[in-house]
Amino acid sequence: MSVNFVARKCACGGKLEFDANKKIWICKYCGTVVEREATFDKIHVDGIEGISDVVRQTLMDVANQKMESAARNLEDCERKNHQHIGTLLAHISYDLANISVARSQDEARGSLDKVKIYAKRLKEDFPVIAEEEINLYEAFGEGAADIYANLLVVFDTLGDSGRVEYISSKLKPEEVFSPHANKALLKIAIRQNQVDTVDAIIRNIGHIDRKSSLQEVLDHYPDGEKKIQIITKLFDANTAGALSKKYFETYFESSNDSVETKAALISLLNTTDIHCSADAVIKAMANLLTGYDEAKTAFRAVYDIKISDQETEGLLVFCLMVNKKYEVQSAFFDTLIEKNVFVALNGRTVISFMDSSAFDRVQKADVIKKMLSFQIDNKALDAIYNYYLNNNHDDVETRLKIIDTILVEGSPITANTVKTYVLKTTIDGEKKLNVIEKIFLTGINKTYLGDLLSDYLLHAEDSEEQRKLVSDYLISQGFKVDSAVMMQYVTATGNNQEKIDKIKKLIANGTLVKADSIDGYILSLADPNDFSEEIFNILTQNSCSIGFTAYSKFVLSCKDIDKVRHSEKLLRSCTDDFSEQRTTITHCGNRLSCNIAQAYILNAQENYENTKMILTQILANRVKLATDITVNGKGMKFKKYVSEHKKELSPLSLQLCEENRMFSLF
């Protein structure tokens, strides 16, 4: 007598899951363990566990197309329990599979009629998945992926979305080992765009029908990068040979896939013994060659392997005479050049093409590029460069396109041509720097260009803005200037920050700073507010020298936030004897000729501490406050002058005079 087990429901209403080893049910929601309750069934000889086993085996046989064994097991299902949900599912699965293997139309029609009858019964008696059906699936245990794959096909065919969803949740596609089940499962997965399932099926390469899988993917999988990956995977398994050359040629002609996908397939076919005629393939894809990129992709694919000269000639005629789109022609010629394919093009063909009014300047430039891929002697090439750079008067945009074409790495352009363009040619206006960059990208030897930067800074005919851009670029290329030109640049008017950046770059390139540069810089300042501490530091970072006149201008007028330190540094570098030097200032409406200390104390503008420190530095250089001065051309004692103008002195000047005993008689 067999034992039939009936599961109790969990009190919380949660779903119960059966643990076959412990013979218990566990609630997935609350974790409660529910023991199974045994009842004796005298009517069903083998009980529910027996029917589960034989249903499982029947469905497994169907999944693996073992139809004779499946028929025997189906009879066993009937004997055990003909009303059980498992027996019904086994009938539907078996008869549905029988349709595809039927030996006659009558036999197929008979199986279809049975499917309809059983499907109606399933819909009426078991409209949704119930406890009994769930128990059946759980009784299948591990290793039932083939069954679930087959059931998924069954429920998908019947349009039972509820069961499709449930079976899908239990299905592990990577564990399906039946080629028949995988074939059907692949169709469903592609139709429903289940990318992960398709991936799992294709990865299981040893258990699929490779021929049908490749054909199914090519014909029905959505176009895109993923499709290319799947096709590649199948080709890696040497699958393509199972399909005919005719099939692939038909695919190229009729499929709506992109050029990228078809090109990938061409490349993959190149790894096999299947060779579709290159010109036939391109002609078949002609309606897809809508732009340069698409055409280039297609041509590259057909030229992945060596094709016959006859095929190339056919493609040449197709591009020049049949499909006259510039994009297709350009892509074709580019591919020939890249693949080192020889094509006989005579001079008349090239000239005729260049004179064609059907192409704009961009297209003509592209053709010139193709022509220059053939050999032209260096002397002739430089004549082309010199004419086009320095004498041609096309519009700027056309010039840029042509120049971009003719100036490539290794172009034998001469130094004279380059100097003429940089120093004298202004045709390209604000685009001149773009052209110069192209010139240097050719790899021209810069040592042959000599003092190009110095000549440019002194003699260029460009606008101020262009001079800045071009000189910055030449500096970035390592050019330097001689110290005299550097001095001219330092003392020229202009934005301080731009000047600082350029001076730093020139020094980094090896340009030398003359010792007396600081002297010239200070004397060149028209506005005291233009003084730059950073330029000062750059010019005095090594040895420097300064004369009395420049120092006087610095200390009396320059606006410097670090004047004390800078004054001390300059005093150490002075080349004149300050004790004998005089400067002229205006004070209280009087014109005074006096020494630097006297001038500084009368016109002191810094705060007290800084002024006192600078005055102390000056006095330490043998300069005395009590020496005579000249006031409006007449000699006078300094003490007398400050005493007479005591009320007119600034508070700072008054304090410094008092501290230095300028109001005392002795």
Side-chain angles (χ1 to χ4, degrees):
M1 184 179 297
S2 64
V3 179
N4 180 30
F5 291 94
V6 180
R8 297 193 201 129
K9 291 185 178 179
C10 181
C12 74
K15 181 181 177 181
L16 297 176
E17 223 175 49
F18 180 59
D19 186 326
N21 293 325
K22 297 181 180 180
K23 303 298 183 181
I24 60 174
W25 291 78
I26 302 175
C27 178
K28 292 183 66 176
Y29 183 76
C30 67
T32 300
V33 176
V34 180
E35 296 180 357
R36 301 190 74 183
E37 184 178 276
T39 61
F40 293 95
D41 190 340
K42 297 181 180 179
I43 299 175
H44 302 297
V45 179
D46 292 322
I48 193 168
E49 289 190 335
I51 189 66
S52 298
D53 289 341
V54 74
V55 167
R56 184 186 195 280
Q57 189 57 52
T58 304
L59 293 174
M60 186 66 77
D61 286 342
V62 173
N64 288 280
Q65 290 287 276
K66 298 179 179 179
M67 302 308 291
E68 292 184 4
S69 176
R72 291 193 298 271
N73 281 302
L74 184 56
E75 292 175 359
D76 204 10
C77 290
E78 284 285 346
R79 287 195 303 272
K80 291 179 182 294
N81 189 344
H82 69 278
Q83 293 182 331
H84 192 269
I85 177 67
T87 301
L88 180 58
L89 295 178
H91 269 297
I92 296 174
S93 178
Y94 174 80
D95 289 319
L96 195 60
N98 249 345
I99 295 174
S100 60
V101 297
R103 288 168 291 186
S104 67
Q105 289 188 350
D106 289 341
E107 185 178 343
R109 192 177 299 110
S111 295
L112 178 60
D113 290 340
K114 290 180 181 179
V115 170
K116 291 178 180 179
I117 293 171
Y118 290 131
K120 180 180 179 182
R121 178 184 160 196
L122 177 67
K123 184 176 182 180
E124 293 174 350
D125 296 351
F126 306 97
V128 296
I129 297 178
E131 183 86 12
E132 184 179 25
E133 187 174 350
I134 293 174
N135 290 344
L136 173 68
Y137 296 144
E138 291 180 346
F140 287 165
E142 298 297 324
D146 289 352
I147 296 175
Y148 290 127
N150 190 58
L151 285 175
L152 184 64
V153 175
V154 170
F155 296 139
D156 179 75
T157 303
L158 299 181
D160 192 335
S161 58
R163 285 184 168 86
V164 166
E165 182 179 357
Y166 181 81
I167 293 299
S168 296
S169 70
K170 299 184 73 64
L171 176 64
K172 297 178 181 179
E174 66 276 6
E175 294 182 6
V176 178
F177 299 118
S178 163
H180 172 74
N182 269 321
K183 179 179 179 179
L185 184 60
L186 181 62
K187 290 179 180 291
I188 295 174
I190 291 177
R191 188 177 72 248
Q192 297 180 354
N193 198 25
Q194 296 173 344
V195 177
D196 292 340
T197 301
V198 173
D199 283 347
I201 295 170
I202 299 302
R203 283 198 302 271
N204 201 0
I205 197 75
H207 301 280
I208 65 174
D209 183 330
R210 299 176 190 177
K211 174 184 176 181
S212 66
S213 296
L214 177 58
Q215 190 166 347
E216 185 69 28
V217 170
L218 283 172
D219 291 343
H220 300 294
Y221 195 88
D223 191 26
E225 182 62 32
K226 194 68 180 178
K227 182 169 188 172
I228 296 174
Q229 294 174 5
I230 295 173
I231 295 171
T232 303
K233 176 74 173 177
L234 290 168
F235 266 78
D236 288 343
N238 298 319
T239 304
L243 296 173
S244 67
K245 172 183 173 181
K246 180 63 177 178
Y247 166 78
F248 289 110
E249 290 181 342
T250 301
Y251 163 81
F252 288 124
E253 185 173 359
S254 60
S255 172
N256 291 324
D257 284 346
S258 65
V259 170
E260 289 74 18
T261 301
K262 291 185 176 181
L265 180 59
I266 294 170
S267 297
L268 290 169
L269 286 173
N270 288 340
T271 65
T272 71
D273 293 332
I274 301 174
H275 179 71
C276 299
S277 172
D279 50 340
V281 168
I282 294 298
K283 289 175 183 176
M285 296 169 57
N287 64 316
L288 296 176
L289 307 183
T290 56
Y292 175 86
D293 291 339
E294 293 84 357
K296 186 70 173 295
T297 299
F299 287 124
R300 276 179 171 170
V302 298
Y303 278 101
D304 273 348
I305 59 172
K306 182 177 178 60
I307 67 175
S308 69
D309 292 343
Q310 185 177 0
E311 286 177 287
T312 295
E313 289 175 8
L315 288 173
L316 180 60
V317 171
F318 171 75
C319 292
L320 293 178
M321 305 299 293
V322 180
N323 188 328
K324 295 183 179 181
K325 291 183 64 175
Y326 162 74
E327 292 79 6
V328 175
Q329 295 177 17
S330 182
F332 176 60
F333 284 115
D334 278 347
T335 304
L336 295 180
I337 293 169
E338 290 177 7
K339 300 293 184 178
N340 294 316
V341 179
F342 174 79
V343 178
L345 287 175
N346 58 48
R348 288 187 178 183
T349 302
V350 177
I351 293 171
S352 175
F353 182 85
M354 293 182 71
D355 287 343
S356 172
S357 59
F359 298 93
D360 60 27
R361 59 173 175 256
V362 177
Q363 296 164 347
K364 287 184 179 180
D366 190 46
V367 172
I368 292 173
K369 181 178 181 179
K370 312 303 185 289
M371 299 304 101
L372 291 181
S373 66
F374 298 97
Q375 290 187 350
I376 302 175
D377 67 83
N378 290 349
K379 185 176 181 180
L381 282 173
D382 185 61
I384 294 171
Y385 305 147
N386 186 59
Y387 166 75
Y388 205 83
L389 284 172
N390 299 312
N391 299 291
N392 172 268
H393 289 279
D394 282 343
D395 63 89
V396 173
E397 292 303 317
T398 298
R399 283 178 55 81
L400 290 177
K401 286 295 181 183
I402 301 300
I403 290 170
D404 186 55
T405 299
I406 65 178
L407 293 182
V408 296
E409 184 177 359
S411 296
I413 187 170
T414 64
N416 286 336
T417 297
V418 175
K419 287 181 178 179
T420 302
Y421 182 80
V422 174
L423 299 177
K424 298 180 179 181
T425 302
T426 59
I427 299 171
D428 298 313
E430 63 181 17
K431 298 294 186 179
K432 181 171 183 175
L433 179 58
N434 300 78
V435 177
I436 293 175
E437 288 174 342
K438 288 292 180 184
I439 290 173
F440 281 98
L441 285 175
T442 64
I444 185 172
N445 192 331
K446 298 170 189 174
T447 59
Y448 295 153
L449 298 174
D451 295 325
L452 180 62
L453 180 55
S454 293
D455 293 339
Y456 184 78
L457 291 173
L458 294 176
H459 307 299
E461 299 178 11
D462 293 329
S463 66
E464 183 177 345
E465 180 62 23
Q466 288 306 305
R467 288 166 63 93
K468 175 186 176 299
L469 294 174
V470 172
S471 59
D472 279 346
Y473 178 75
L474 293 176
I475 291 171
S476 74
Q477 292 298 303
F479 287 94
K480 58 184 179 179
V481 299
D482 60 38
S483 52
V485 175
M486 168 71 104
M487 194 62 223
Q488 291 185 48
Y489 182 73
V490 169
T491 58
T493 58
N495 180 277
N496 269 344
Q497 190 55 54
E498 291 179 1
K499 188 181 294 186
I500 289 166
D501 293 341
K502 191 160 294 188
I503 291 171
K504 286 181 177 179
K505 293 174 182 176
L506 286 169
I507 292 174
N509 282 355
T511 297
L512 299 178
V513 178
K514 294 175 66 176
D516 62 353
S517 294
I518 189 62
D519 189 280
Y521 170 66
I522 292 173
L523 291 176
S524 71
L525 295 173
D527 184 344
N529 293 309
D530 286 342
F531 177 83
S532 167
E533 180 186 11
E534 192 166 359
I535 292 179
F536 178 95
N537 290 331
I538 292 172
L539 298 179
T540 60
Q541 62 183 342
N542 297 316
S543 61
C544 63
S545 63
I546 189 171
F548 174 77
T549 304
Y551 177 78
S552 297
K553 183 174 182 178
F554 168 76
V555 79
L556 295 177
S557 63
C558 288
K559 306 298 183 183
D560 183 8
I561 61 174
D562 199 9
K563 202 164 187 176
V564 174
R565 184 172 65 85
H566 292 162
S567 171
E568 183 180 17
K569 185 169 188 176
L570 291 177
L571 283 170
R572 292 198 305 268
S573 305
C574 280
T575 56
D576 297 329
D577 183 358
F578 278 23
S579 64
E580 301 297 327
Q581 300 294 328
R582 290 291 181 269
T583 187
T584 300
I585 64 170
T586 299
H587 183 263
C588 296
N590 299 307
R591 184 175 177 80
L592 276 63
S593 176
C594 56
N595 66 35
I596 185 64
Q598 294 164 338
Y600 185 65
I601 204 171
L602 291 174
N603 285 340
Q605 298 176 6
E606 273 74 44
N607 59 46
Y608 169 75
E609 288 79 8
N610 287 350
T611 304
K612 184 175 182 180
M613 292 178 68
I614 292 174
L615 181 60
T616 301
Q617 294 170 1
I618 295 172
L619 293 175
N621 280 268
R622 298 186 298 164
V623 179
K624 298 180 180 180
L625 280 174
T627 58
D628 293 348
I629 64 174
T630 298
V631 181
N632 298 324
K634 296 180 181 181
M636 180 183 289
K637 295 291 186 182
F638 184 67
K639 282 188 174 184
K640 181 180 179 181
Y641 179 81
V642 296
S643 296
E644 290 179 354
H645 295 82
K646 188 172 184 178
K647 292 182 179 181
E648 297 167 290
L649 295 176
S650 68
L652 179 56
S653 297
L654 183 62
Q655 182 178 357
L656 292 171
C657 285
E658 288 176 344
E659 289 179 358
N660 287 277
R661 303 171 61 81
M662 290 297 102
F663 301 124
S664 65
L665 296 176
F666 305 99

